[in-house]
Amino acid sequence: MDCLRIAGGLPLQGVVTASGSKNAALPIMAASILADSATVLAGVPDLVDVNTLALLLGYLGVEVKRHADKTLHIETVDPRPTKADYDLVRRMRASFCALGPLVARRGRGVVSLPGGCNIGTRPVDLHLAALAALGADIRIEGGYVIAEARRLQGARIDLRGPYGPTVTGTANAMSAATLARGRTTLVGAAREPEIVDLGNFLIAIGAKIDGLGTDAIEIDGVERLSGASYQVIPDRIETGTLLIATAAAGGEITIEGIDPSHLTAVLEALQATGALVTLGPRQVTLRATGRPRPTNVTALPYPGIPTDLQAQFMALLSLADGESQISDLVFPDRFMQVAELNRLGARIERHGATAIVTGVPRLSGATVMASDLRASAALVVAGLSAERETIVRRVYHLDRGYEQLERKLRSVGAQIVREPDAQAGSPHAAAHRNIAAAARLQGVPR
Ligand code: EPZ
Protein backbone atom coordinates (compact mmCIF):
# COMPACT_ATOMS: atom_id res chain seq x y z
CA MET A 1 0.00 0.00 0.00
CA ASP A 2 1.26 3.49 -0.86
CA CYS A 3 1.04 6.81 0.89
CA LEU A 4 1.61 10.39 -0.24
CA ARG A 5 4.16 12.56 1.50
CA ILE A 6 3.44 16.26 1.03
CA ALA A 7 5.68 19.14 2.09
CA GLY A 8 3.02 21.82 2.48
CA GLY A 9 3.03 25.59 2.22
CA LEU A 10 4.30 25.97 -1.35
CA PRO A 11 2.24 27.96 -3.85
CA LEU A 12 1.14 26.23 -7.07
CA GLN A 13 2.21 27.91 -10.28
CA GLY A 14 1.78 26.76 -13.86
CA VAL A 15 -0.37 25.05 -16.45
CA VAL A 16 -2.04 21.64 -16.30
CA THR A 17 -4.09 19.78 -18.92
CA ALA A 18 -7.37 18.25 -17.75
CA SER A 19 -7.89 14.51 -18.05
CA GLY A 20 -11.02 12.91 -19.45
CA SER A 21 -13.99 12.54 -17.12
CA LYS A 22 -14.15 9.36 -15.05
CA ASN A 23 -17.87 9.66 -14.40
CA ALA A 24 -18.62 10.21 -18.07
CA ALA A 25 -16.29 7.44 -19.27
CA LEU A 26 -17.65 4.69 -16.99
CA PRO A 27 -21.33 4.72 -18.10
CA ILE A 28 -20.23 5.21 -21.72
CA MET A 29 -17.98 2.14 -21.50
CA ALA A 30 -20.89 0.17 -20.00
CA ALA A 31 -23.24 1.42 -22.74
CA SER A 32 -20.84 0.04 -25.38
CA ILE A 33 -22.52 -3.31 -24.61
CA LEU A 34 -25.47 -1.97 -26.64
CA ALA A 35 -23.51 -1.61 -29.89
CA ASP A 36 -23.30 -4.32 -32.55
CA SER A 37 -19.82 -3.25 -33.67
CA ALA A 38 -16.66 -1.73 -32.21
CA THR A 39 -16.57 1.56 -30.32
CA VAL A 40 -13.48 3.73 -30.08
CA LEU A 41 -13.38 6.12 -27.13
CA ALA A 42 -10.85 8.95 -26.86
CA GLY A 43 -10.06 10.79 -23.65
CA VAL A 44 -10.76 7.90 -21.28
CA PRO A 45 -8.53 8.50 -18.23
CA ASP A 46 -6.15 5.77 -17.14
CA LEU A 47 -7.59 4.99 -13.72
CA VAL A 48 -8.19 2.03 -11.45
CA ASP A 49 -11.99 2.42 -11.86
CA VAL A 50 -11.68 2.37 -15.64
CA ASN A 51 -9.54 -0.76 -15.43
CA THR A 52 -12.04 -2.39 -13.06
CA LEU A 53 -14.85 -1.76 -15.53
CA ALA A 54 -12.68 -3.03 -18.39
CA LEU A 55 -12.15 -6.23 -16.38
CA LEU A 56 -15.89 -6.57 -15.77
CA LEU A 57 -16.64 -5.99 -19.47
CA GLY A 58 -14.07 -8.69 -20.26
CA TYR A 59 -16.06 -11.18 -18.14
CA LEU A 60 -19.16 -10.04 -20.05
CA GLY A 61 -17.58 -10.94 -23.41
CA VAL A 62 -16.60 -7.37 -24.30
CA GLU A 63 -12.98 -6.88 -25.26
CA VAL A 64 -11.43 -3.59 -24.09
CA LYS A 65 -8.00 -2.58 -25.41
CA ARG A 66 -6.09 0.60 -24.66
CA HIS A 67 -4.05 1.80 -27.65
CA ALA A 68 -0.84 3.82 -27.58
CA ASP A 69 -2.76 6.91 -28.74
CA LYS A 70 -4.72 6.60 -25.46
CA THR A 71 -7.96 5.57 -27.15
CA LEU A 72 -9.98 2.67 -25.82
CA HIS A 73 -11.17 0.10 -28.35
CA ILE A 74 -14.29 -1.72 -27.10
CA GLU A 75 -15.88 -4.63 -28.95
CA THR A 76 -18.27 -7.43 -28.06
CA VAL A 77 -16.67 -10.76 -28.92
CA ASP A 78 -19.15 -12.99 -27.08
CA PRO A 79 -22.69 -11.69 -26.43
CA ARG A 80 -23.72 -14.62 -24.20
CA PRO A 81 -22.46 -13.75 -20.67
CA THR A 82 -24.87 -11.73 -18.54
CA LYS A 83 -23.47 -11.88 -15.00
CA ALA A 84 -21.52 -9.12 -13.23
CA ASP A 85 -19.87 -10.69 -10.24
CA TYR A 86 -20.04 -9.39 -6.66
CA ASP A 87 -16.28 -9.09 -6.41
CA LEU A 88 -16.10 -6.49 -9.18
CA VAL A 89 -19.33 -4.61 -8.39
CA ARG A 90 -18.21 -4.42 -4.74
CA ARG A 91 -15.00 -2.70 -5.87
CA MET A 92 -16.86 -0.12 -7.92
CA ARG A 93 -20.53 0.81 -7.85
CA ALA A 94 -20.45 2.20 -11.40
CA SER A 95 -20.38 -1.48 -12.50
CA PHE A 96 -24.13 -1.33 -11.86
CA CYS A 97 -24.36 0.75 -15.07
CA ALA A 98 -23.97 -2.55 -16.97
CA LEU A 99 -27.44 -3.71 -15.89
CA GLY A 100 -29.53 -1.53 -18.25
CA PRO A 101 -27.39 -2.26 -21.33
CA LEU A 102 -27.32 -6.01 -20.56
CA VAL A 103 -31.07 -6.42 -20.26
CA ALA A 104 -31.71 -4.18 -23.28
CA ARG A 105 -29.19 -5.86 -25.60
CA ARG A 106 -28.95 -9.41 -24.27
CA GLY A 107 -32.39 -9.86 -22.70
CA ARG A 108 -30.91 -10.59 -19.29
CA GLY A 109 -28.63 -8.90 -16.79
CA VAL A 110 -27.46 -10.42 -13.50
CA VAL A 111 -25.59 -7.81 -11.48
CA SER A 112 -24.58 -7.99 -7.85
CA LEU A 113 -26.26 -5.47 -5.56
CA PRO A 114 -23.47 -3.01 -4.73
CA GLY A 115 -24.11 -2.55 -0.99
CA GLY A 116 -23.22 0.55 1.04
CA CYS A 117 -20.02 2.54 0.87
CA ASN A 118 -18.11 5.22 2.71
CA ILE A 119 -20.30 8.06 1.50
CA GLY A 120 -23.67 6.63 2.55
CA THR A 121 -26.15 3.81 2.10
CA ARG A 122 -26.57 4.38 -1.66
CA PRO A 123 -29.66 2.37 -2.63
CA VAL A 124 -30.41 1.35 -6.23
CA ASP A 125 -34.22 1.32 -5.96
CA LEU A 126 -34.60 4.02 -8.64
CA HIS A 127 -32.49 2.01 -11.12
CA LEU A 128 -34.66 -1.04 -10.54
CA ALA A 129 -37.95 0.88 -10.72
CA ALA A 130 -36.83 2.37 -14.05
CA LEU A 131 -36.02 -1.01 -15.58
CA ALA A 132 -39.25 -2.48 -14.20
CA ALA A 133 -41.19 0.42 -15.79
CA LEU A 134 -39.55 -0.53 -19.10
CA GLY A 135 -41.04 -3.99 -18.67
CA ALA A 136 -38.09 -5.91 -17.24
CA ASP A 137 -38.92 -8.70 -14.86
CA ILE A 138 -36.78 -7.98 -11.80
CA ARG A 139 -35.98 -10.23 -8.88
CA ILE A 140 -33.27 -10.40 -6.27
CA GLU A 141 -31.60 -13.71 -5.52
CA GLY A 142 -28.50 -14.35 -3.43
CA GLY A 143 -27.48 -10.70 -3.44
CA TYR A 144 -27.86 -10.39 -7.22
CA VAL A 145 -30.40 -8.42 -9.23
CA ILE A 146 -31.74 -10.49 -12.10
CA ALA A 147 -33.42 -8.40 -14.78
CA GLU A 148 -34.99 -10.10 -17.79
CA ALA A 149 -37.03 -8.96 -20.78
CA ARG A 150 -37.52 -10.26 -24.31
CA ARG A 151 -37.76 -6.67 -25.47
CA LEU A 152 -38.13 -3.59 -23.31
CA GLN A 153 -41.12 -1.36 -23.89
CA GLY A 154 -41.01 2.47 -23.78
CA ALA A 155 -42.48 4.04 -20.63
CA ARG A 156 -42.64 7.18 -18.51
CA ILE A 157 -40.04 6.99 -15.76
CA ASP A 158 -39.54 9.32 -12.80
CA LEU A 159 -35.91 9.37 -11.67
CA ARG A 160 -36.32 11.61 -8.62
CA GLY A 161 -35.43 10.20 -5.24
CA PRO A 162 -35.40 11.82 -1.80
CA TYR A 163 -32.07 13.54 -2.60
CA GLY A 164 -32.76 14.59 -6.18
CA PRO A 165 -32.32 12.79 -9.49
CA THR A 166 -30.09 9.75 -9.65
CA VAL A 167 -27.13 10.17 -11.99
CA THR A 168 -26.19 6.56 -12.76
CA GLY A 169 -29.89 5.62 -12.50
CA THR A 170 -30.53 8.07 -15.36
CA ALA A 171 -27.61 6.46 -17.21
CA ASN A 172 -29.10 2.98 -16.77
CA ALA A 173 -32.61 4.05 -17.80
CA MET A 174 -31.47 6.11 -20.80
CA SER A 175 -29.15 3.37 -22.08
CA ALA A 176 -31.80 0.67 -21.70
CA ALA A 177 -34.51 2.77 -23.40
CA THR A 178 -32.44 3.22 -26.58
CA LEU A 179 -33.35 -0.33 -27.70
CA ALA A 180 -36.88 -0.41 -26.23
CA ARG A 181 -39.94 -0.57 -28.44
CA GLY A 182 -41.52 2.89 -28.67
CA ARG A 183 -40.95 6.12 -26.76
CA THR A 184 -39.57 6.54 -23.26
CA THR A 185 -39.90 9.79 -21.31
CA LEU A 186 -37.55 10.30 -18.40
CA VAL A 187 -38.79 12.90 -15.94
CA GLY A 188 -36.72 14.26 -13.08
CA ALA A 189 -33.68 13.09 -15.05
CA ALA A 190 -30.14 14.04 -14.01
CA ARG A 191 -28.78 17.05 -15.92
CA GLU A 192 -25.11 16.43 -15.14
CA PRO A 193 -22.66 17.01 -18.04
CA GLU A 194 -21.67 13.34 -17.70
CA ILE A 195 -25.28 12.32 -18.52
CA VAL A 196 -25.31 14.70 -21.49
CA ASP A 197 -22.06 13.08 -22.61
CA LEU A 198 -23.51 9.59 -22.32
CA GLY A 199 -26.55 10.79 -24.31
CA ASN A 200 -24.32 12.24 -27.02
CA PHE A 201 -22.39 8.97 -27.18
CA LEU A 202 -25.66 7.03 -27.53
CA ILE A 203 -26.74 9.40 -30.33
CA ALA A 204 -23.36 8.81 -32.01
CA ILE A 205 -24.01 5.05 -32.03
CA GLY A 206 -27.50 5.55 -33.49
CA ALA A 207 -29.90 6.30 -30.61
CA LYS A 208 -32.68 8.87 -30.90
CA ILE A 209 -32.63 11.13 -27.84
CA ASP A 210 -34.01 14.62 -27.15
CA GLY A 211 -33.82 16.92 -24.16
CA LEU A 212 -30.30 16.17 -22.95
CA GLY A 213 -29.23 18.63 -20.26
CA THR A 214 -32.86 19.11 -19.12
CA ASP A 215 -34.77 17.07 -16.59
CA ALA A 216 -37.11 15.68 -19.29
CA ILE A 217 -35.41 13.36 -21.75
CA GLU A 218 -37.22 11.60 -24.59
CA ILE A 219 -35.87 8.48 -26.21
CA ASP A 220 -37.35 6.78 -29.26
CA GLY A 221 -36.22 3.19 -29.29
CA VAL A 222 -34.36 1.86 -32.35
CA GLU A 223 -33.81 -1.70 -33.61
CA ARG A 224 -30.04 -1.69 -33.36
CA LEU A 225 -27.04 0.44 -32.45
CA SER A 226 -23.64 0.23 -34.07
CA GLY A 227 -20.21 1.37 -32.95
CA ALA A 228 -18.69 4.82 -33.46
CA SER A 229 -15.71 6.93 -32.39
CA TYR A 230 -16.36 9.28 -29.52
CA GLN A 231 -14.43 11.81 -27.41
CA VAL A 232 -15.22 11.83 -23.67
CA ILE A 233 -15.62 15.25 -21.97
CA PRO A 234 -12.93 16.64 -19.65
CA ASP A 235 -13.18 15.94 -15.92
CA ARG A 236 -14.80 18.91 -14.17
CA ILE A 237 -14.16 17.37 -10.74
CA GLU A 238 -10.42 17.04 -11.39
CA THR A 239 -10.37 20.67 -12.58
CA GLY A 240 -12.34 21.82 -9.54
CA THR A 241 -9.98 19.94 -7.23
CA LEU A 242 -6.87 21.57 -8.75
CA LEU A 243 -8.45 25.04 -8.61
CA ILE A 244 -9.45 24.58 -4.97
CA ALA A 245 -5.95 23.30 -4.16
CA THR A 246 -4.47 26.49 -5.63
CA ALA A 247 -6.95 28.70 -3.77
CA ALA A 248 -5.83 26.94 -0.56
CA ALA A 249 -2.07 26.72 -1.15
CA GLY A 250 -1.69 30.04 -2.99
CA GLY A 251 -0.30 30.79 -6.45
CA GLU A 252 -1.80 30.83 -9.93
CA ILE A 253 -2.87 27.85 -12.01
CA THR A 254 -4.26 27.47 -15.52
CA ILE A 255 -6.16 24.33 -16.45
CA GLU A 256 -6.38 23.70 -20.17
CA GLY A 257 -8.70 21.51 -22.19
CA ILE A 258 -11.76 22.10 -20.01
CA ASP A 259 -15.36 23.09 -20.68
CA PRO A 260 -15.87 26.20 -18.50
CA SER A 261 -19.67 25.93 -18.78
CA HIS A 262 -19.53 22.80 -16.60
CA LEU A 263 -17.96 24.73 -13.75
CA THR A 264 -20.17 27.81 -13.33
CA ALA A 265 -21.33 27.16 -9.73
CA VAL A 266 -17.86 26.00 -8.67
CA LEU A 267 -16.16 29.12 -10.05
CA GLU A 268 -18.75 31.37 -8.40
CA ALA A 269 -18.05 29.73 -5.03
CA LEU A 270 -14.29 30.10 -5.54
CA GLN A 271 -14.77 33.78 -6.41
CA ALA A 272 -16.84 34.20 -3.25
CA THR A 273 -13.74 33.07 -1.30
CA GLY A 274 -11.78 35.89 -2.95
CA ALA A 275 -9.94 33.94 -5.66
CA LEU A 276 -9.57 35.65 -9.03
CA VAL A 277 -10.89 33.57 -11.90
CA THR A 278 -10.39 34.23 -15.62
CA LEU A 279 -11.94 32.13 -18.35
CA GLY A 280 -10.68 31.36 -21.83
CA PRO A 281 -12.48 29.32 -24.51
CA ARG A 282 -11.15 25.97 -23.23
CA GLN A 283 -9.30 27.06 -20.13
CA VAL A 284 -9.60 28.58 -16.70
CA THR A 285 -7.02 30.47 -14.63
CA LEU A 286 -7.29 30.91 -10.88
CA ARG A 287 -5.11 33.30 -8.86
CA ALA A 288 -5.20 33.03 -5.10
CA THR A 289 -5.30 36.33 -3.23
CA GLY A 290 -4.34 35.39 0.31
CA ARG A 291 -6.45 33.97 3.10
CA PRO A 292 -9.85 32.81 1.77
CA ARG A 293 -13.01 34.63 2.76
CA PRO A 294 -15.65 32.45 4.41
CA THR A 295 -18.62 31.43 2.28
CA ASN A 296 -21.45 28.93 2.42
CA VAL A 297 -21.35 25.92 0.11
CA THR A 298 -24.29 23.63 -0.58
CA ALA A 299 -23.73 20.54 -2.71
CA LEU A 300 -26.71 19.99 -5.00
CA PRO A 301 -27.50 18.16 -8.23
CA TYR A 302 -26.18 19.92 -11.37
CA PRO A 303 -26.06 22.84 -12.06
CA GLY A 304 -25.34 23.21 -8.33
CA ILE A 305 -21.96 22.69 -6.69
CA PRO A 306 -21.14 18.96 -7.07
CA THR A 307 -21.07 16.73 -4.01
CA ASP A 308 -17.81 15.41 -5.49
CA LEU A 309 -16.17 18.77 -4.60
CA GLN A 310 -17.80 19.26 -1.19
CA ALA A 311 -14.90 17.78 0.81
CA GLN A 312 -12.30 19.79 -1.13
CA PHE A 313 -14.22 23.02 -0.46
CA MET A 314 -14.25 22.05 3.21
CA ALA A 315 -10.45 21.82 3.21
CA LEU A 316 -10.23 25.28 1.61
CA LEU A 317 -12.74 26.90 3.96
CA SER A 318 -10.92 25.44 6.97
CA LEU A 319 -8.44 28.24 6.29
CA ALA A 320 -11.02 31.02 5.83
CA ASP A 321 -11.10 34.20 7.82
CA GLY A 322 -14.40 33.43 9.57
CA GLU A 323 -17.16 30.83 9.71
CA SER A 324 -18.58 28.91 6.73
CA GLN A 325 -21.40 26.39 6.48
CA ILE A 326 -21.09 23.42 4.18
CA SER A 327 -24.13 21.26 3.41
CA ASP A 328 -24.42 18.18 1.25
CA LEU A 329 -27.98 17.69 0.02
CA VAL A 330 -27.02 14.86 -2.34
CA PHE A 331 -25.18 12.59 0.10
CA PRO A 332 -26.07 13.90 3.58
CA ASP A 333 -23.61 11.51 5.26
CA ARG A 334 -20.61 12.36 3.11
CA PHE A 335 -18.48 13.85 5.89
CA MET A 336 -15.78 11.23 6.46
CA GLN A 337 -13.15 13.91 5.90
CA VAL A 338 -14.19 15.98 8.93
CA ALA A 339 -12.28 14.04 11.58
CA GLU A 340 -9.12 13.85 9.45
CA LEU A 341 -9.21 17.57 8.59
CA ASN A 342 -9.59 18.28 12.30
CA ARG A 343 -6.43 16.23 12.89
CA LEU A 344 -4.67 18.77 10.65
CA GLY A 345 -5.87 21.56 12.94
CA ALA A 346 -9.18 22.46 11.25
CA ARG A 347 -12.19 23.37 13.40
CA ILE A 348 -15.19 21.63 11.88
CA GLU A 349 -18.35 20.46 13.60
CA ARG A 350 -20.91 18.34 11.84
CA HIS A 351 -24.62 18.78 12.46
CA GLY A 352 -26.53 16.33 10.26
CA ALA A 353 -26.11 17.22 6.61
CA THR A 354 -24.27 20.45 7.47
CA ALA A 355 -20.80 21.18 8.79
CA ILE A 356 -19.84 24.41 10.49
CA VAL A 357 -16.29 25.32 9.57
CA THR A 358 -14.57 27.88 11.75
CA GLY A 359 -11.55 29.02 9.77
CA VAL A 360 -8.08 28.83 11.30
CA PRO A 361 -5.06 30.85 10.08
CA ARG A 362 -3.10 27.72 9.23
CA LEU A 363 -3.30 23.94 9.21
CA SER A 364 -0.42 21.88 10.51
CA GLY A 365 0.82 18.70 8.85
CA ALA A 366 0.07 15.26 10.30
CA THR A 367 -0.51 11.69 9.19
CA VAL A 368 -4.06 11.26 7.97
CA MET A 369 -6.11 8.45 6.52
CA ALA A 370 -8.01 8.63 3.23
CA SER A 371 -11.50 7.12 3.41
CA ASP A 372 -12.94 7.60 -0.08
CA LEU A 373 -11.94 9.20 -3.34
CA ARG A 374 -13.01 12.80 -2.78
CA ALA A 375 -12.22 12.80 0.96
CA SER A 376 -8.67 11.78 -0.07
CA ALA A 377 -8.54 14.71 -2.48
CA ALA A 378 -9.59 17.02 0.36
CA LEU A 379 -6.70 15.72 2.49
CA VAL A 380 -4.28 16.40 -0.36
CA VAL A 381 -5.68 19.96 -0.68
CA ALA A 382 -5.25 20.43 3.08
CA GLY A 383 -1.76 18.91 3.03
CA LEU A 384 -0.61 21.22 0.23
CA SER A 385 -1.62 24.26 2.27
CA ALA A 386 -0.53 23.00 5.72
CA GLU A 387 2.67 23.84 7.53
CA ARG A 388 5.27 21.07 7.61
CA GLU A 389 4.71 17.55 6.34
CA THR A 390 1.46 15.68 5.78
CA ILE A 391 1.30 11.98 5.04
CA VAL A 392 -1.90 10.76 3.41
CA ARG A 393 -2.33 7.03 3.86
CA ARG A 394 -4.52 4.64 1.80
CA VAL A 395 -4.06 6.64 -1.39
CA TYR A 396 -5.46 3.79 -3.45
CA HIS A 397 -8.74 5.69 -3.11
CA LEU A 398 -7.20 8.56 -5.10
CA ASP A 399 -5.99 6.24 -7.84
CA ARG A 400 -9.58 5.24 -8.51
CA GLY A 401 -10.44 8.68 -9.80
CA TYR A 402 -7.51 11.04 -10.39
CA GLU A 403 -5.15 10.42 -13.29
CA GLN A 404 -1.55 11.07 -12.20
CA LEU A 405 -2.56 13.59 -9.56
CA GLU A 406 0.89 13.79 -7.93
CA ARG A 407 2.61 14.23 -11.29
CA LYS A 408 0.24 17.05 -12.21
CA LEU A 409 0.71 18.72 -8.82
CA ARG A 410 4.50 18.36 -9.00
CA SER A 411 4.45 19.99 -12.45
CA VAL A 412 3.01 23.13 -10.82
CA GLY A 413 5.51 23.20 -7.98
CA ALA A 414 4.03 21.00 -5.26
CA GLN A 415 6.36 18.81 -3.25
CA ILE A 416 4.44 15.58 -3.19
CA VAL A 417 5.82 12.07 -3.50
CA ARG A 418 4.30 8.63 -3.47
CA GLU A 419 6.09 6.01 -1.46
CA PRO A 420 5.36 2.60 0.03
CA ASP A 421 3.52 3.04 3.32
CA ALA A 422 6.02 1.76 5.86
CA GLN A 423 3.31 1.68 8.55
CA ALA A 424 1.07 -0.54 6.42
CA GLY A 425 3.41 -3.50 6.99
CA SER A 426 4.49 -2.65 10.54
CA PRO A 427 3.76 -4.72 13.67
CA HIS A 428 1.47 -1.85 14.68
CA ALA A 429 -0.56 -2.22 11.48
CA ALA A 430 -0.64 -6.00 11.91
CA ALA A 431 -1.99 -5.52 15.44
CA HIS A 432 -4.60 -3.14 14.08
CA ARG A 433 -5.65 -5.74 11.50
CA ASN A 434 -5.94 -8.39 14.25
CA ILE A 435 -8.12 -6.12 16.36
CA ALA A 436 -10.29 -5.33 13.33
CA ALA A 437 -10.65 -9.04 12.51
CA ALA A 438 -11.57 -9.83 16.13
CA ALA A 439 -14.16 -7.04 16.10
CA ARG A 440 -15.66 -8.46 12.90
CA LEU A 441 -15.87 -11.95 14.42
CA GLN A 442 -17.69 -10.56 17.44
CA GLY A 443 -19.97 -8.40 15.28
CA VAL A 444 -18.67 -5.25 16.95
CA PRO A 445 -19.38 -2.18 14.78
CA ARG A 446 -16.23 -0.22 14.09
C1 EPZ B 1 -22.82 9.44 -9.27
O1 EPZ B 1 -23.12 8.42 -8.33
C2 EPZ B 1 -21.32 9.59 -9.30
N1 EPZ B 1 -20.71 8.33 -9.70
C3 EPZ B 1 -20.83 10.01 -7.91
O2 EPZ B 1 -19.42 10.24 -7.98
C4 EPZ B 1 -21.51 11.33 -7.54
O3 EPZ B 1 -21.14 11.69 -6.23
C5 EPZ B 1 -23.03 11.15 -7.61
O4 EPZ B 1 -23.42 10.67 -8.92
C6 EPZ B 1 -23.79 12.45 -7.38
O5 EPZ B 1 -23.39 13.41 -8.29
C7 EPZ B 1 -20.60 8.06 -11.00
O6 EPZ B 1 -21.01 8.81 -11.87
C8 EPZ B 1 -19.93 6.80 -11.37
P1 EPZ B 1 -26.86 9.19 -7.45
P2 EPZ B 1 -24.57 7.79 -8.26
O7 EPZ B 1 -27.62 7.96 -7.83
O8 EPZ B 1 -25.19 7.82 -9.60
C9 EPZ B 1 -29.88 8.57 -3.87
C10 EPZ B 1 -17.19 10.02 -7.28
O9 EPZ B 1 -16.57 10.36 -6.24
N2 EPZ B 1 -30.37 7.41 -4.62
O10 EPZ B 1 -27.02 10.39 -8.32
O11 EPZ B 1 -24.46 6.48 -7.59
C11 EPZ B 1 -28.45 8.41 -3.40
O12 EPZ B 1 -28.36 7.65 -2.21
C12 EPZ B 1 -18.56 9.40 -7.19
O13 EPZ B 1 -16.71 10.14 -8.41
C13 EPZ B 1 -31.53 6.77 -4.23
O14 EPZ B 1 -32.18 7.15 -3.24
O15 EPZ B 1 -25.32 8.81 -7.33
C14 EPZ B 1 -28.03 9.84 -3.25
O16 EPZ B 1 -28.50 10.37 -2.02
C15 EPZ B 1 -19.00 9.14 -5.78
N3 EPZ B 1 -31.96 5.67 -4.94
C16 EPZ B 1 -28.74 10.53 -4.40
O17 EPZ B 1 -29.83 9.66 -4.75
C17 EPZ B 1 -31.29 5.23 -6.04
O18 EPZ B 1 -31.73 4.23 -6.66
C18 EPZ B 1 -27.90 10.77 -5.63
O19 EPZ B 1 -27.20 9.58 -5.97
C19 EPZ B 1 -30.14 5.89 -6.44
C20 EPZ B 1 -29.69 6.99 -5.71
Side-chain angles (χ1 to χ4, degrees), residues 146-158:
I146 304 175
E148 289 173 317
R150 282 162 77 122
R151 177 143 189 215
L152 297 173
Q153 178 73 45
R156 185 177 188 278
I157 300 170
D158 191 339

Side-chain angles (χ1 to χ4, degrees), residues 23-371:
N23 288 348
L26 295 173
I28 290 176
M29 288 172 68
S32 300
I33 291 173
L34 295 164
D36 288 348
S37 47
T39 304
V40 179
L41 299 179
V44 178
D46 191 1
L47 299 170
V48 170
D49 274 9
V50 165
N51 295 335
T52 303
L53 188 56
L55 196 63
L56 175 67
L57 289 173
Y59 284 117
L60 291 171
V62 181
E63 197 176 75
V64 182
K65 284 189 197 146
R66 192 178 274 277
H67 290 301
D69 61 359
K70 291 196 163 189
T71 56
L72 223 55
H73 184 277
I74 306 181
E75 186 167 11
T76 297
V77 289
D78 179 2
R80 288 167 305 175
T82 54
K83 184 169 176 185
D85 207 61
Y86 171 67
D87 195 44
L88 288 169
V89 182
R90 176 183 63 82
R91 280 196 237 168
M92 188 190 62
R93 294 179 57 87
S95 310
F96 208 71
C97 291
L99 185 63
L102 280 175
V103 68
R105 180 67 186 85
R106 300 186 185 180
R108 180 180 158 92
V110 183
V111 179
S112 167
L113 277 167
C117 73
N118 277 346
I119 66 175
T121 49
R122 302 188 76 183
V124 287
D125 55 313
L126 297 166
H127 298 239
L128 302 187
L131 295 176
L134 290 168
D137 175 40
I138 308 242
R139 56 188 200 280
I140 293 173
E141 269 174 29
Y144 283 80
V145 176
I146 304 175
E148 289 173 317
R150 282 162 77 122
R151 177 143 189 215
L152 297 173
Q153 178 73 45
R156 185 177 188 278
I157 300 170
D158 191 339
L159 290 154
R160 275 168 295 202
Y163 305 105
T166 163
V167 175
T168 51
T170 303
N172 249 329
M174 183 162 69
S175 302
T178 57
L179 288 177
R181 191 181 291 115
R183 174 169 292 187
T184 297
T185 305
L186 306 181
V187 297
R191 298 162 60 189
E192 269 65 9
E194 294 76 16
I195 291 297
V196 175
D197 206 36
L198 169 65
N200 285 330
F201 165 74
L202 291 168
I203 291 170
I205 64 172
K208 295 202 171 123
I209 304 178
D210 258 341
L212 289 173
T214 75
D215 62 359
I217 301 178
E218 285 208 333
I219 304 139
D220 282 312
V222 296
E223 294 301 315
R224 57 184 295 270
L225 298 165
S226 46
S229 293
Y230 191 77
Q231 170 83 41
V232 173
I233 54 167
D235 196 315
R236 64 190 170 109
I237 306 300
E238 180 202 39
T239 298
T241 302
L242 292 168
L243 295 176
I244 293 171
T246 308
E252 179 169 328
I253 196 168
T254 297
I255 322 273
E256 290 182 336
I258 65 146
D259 185 334
S261 70
H262 295 165
L263 288 154
T264 307
V266 173
L267 299 180
E268 278 170 15
L270 282 165
Q271 283 167 319
T273 70
L276 297 176
V277 173
T278 335
L279 290 179
R282 297 277 301 161
Q283 69 175 46
V284 58
T285 298
L286 178 139
R287 180 147 63 86
T289 55
R291 194 169 172 193
R293 289 200 295 263
T295 188
N296 296 336
V297 166
T298 302
L300 287 166
Y302 191 82
I305 294 173
T307 170
D308 291 345
L309 288 173
Q310 178 260 110
Q312 299 88 318
F313 267 113
M314 192 178 287
L316 169 64
L317 292 169
S318 296
L319 291 162
D321 190 7
E323 188 180 285
S324 308
Q325 280 193 18
I326 301 186
S327 304
D328 196 323
L329 302 187
V330 178
F331 289 115
D333 284 324
R334 195 175 197 175
F335 288 106
M336 295 290 282
Q337 73 279 7
V338 169
E340 298 302 293
L341 289 174
N342 284 345
R343 297 195 65 249
L344 293 169
R347 283 181 56 200
I348 308 168
E349 271 179 38
R350 182 185 164 190
H351 303 276
T354 298
I356 311 291
V357 185
T358 307
V360 294
R362 61 196 66 83
L363 298 173
S364 92
T367 299
V368 286
M369 194 78 89
S371 57

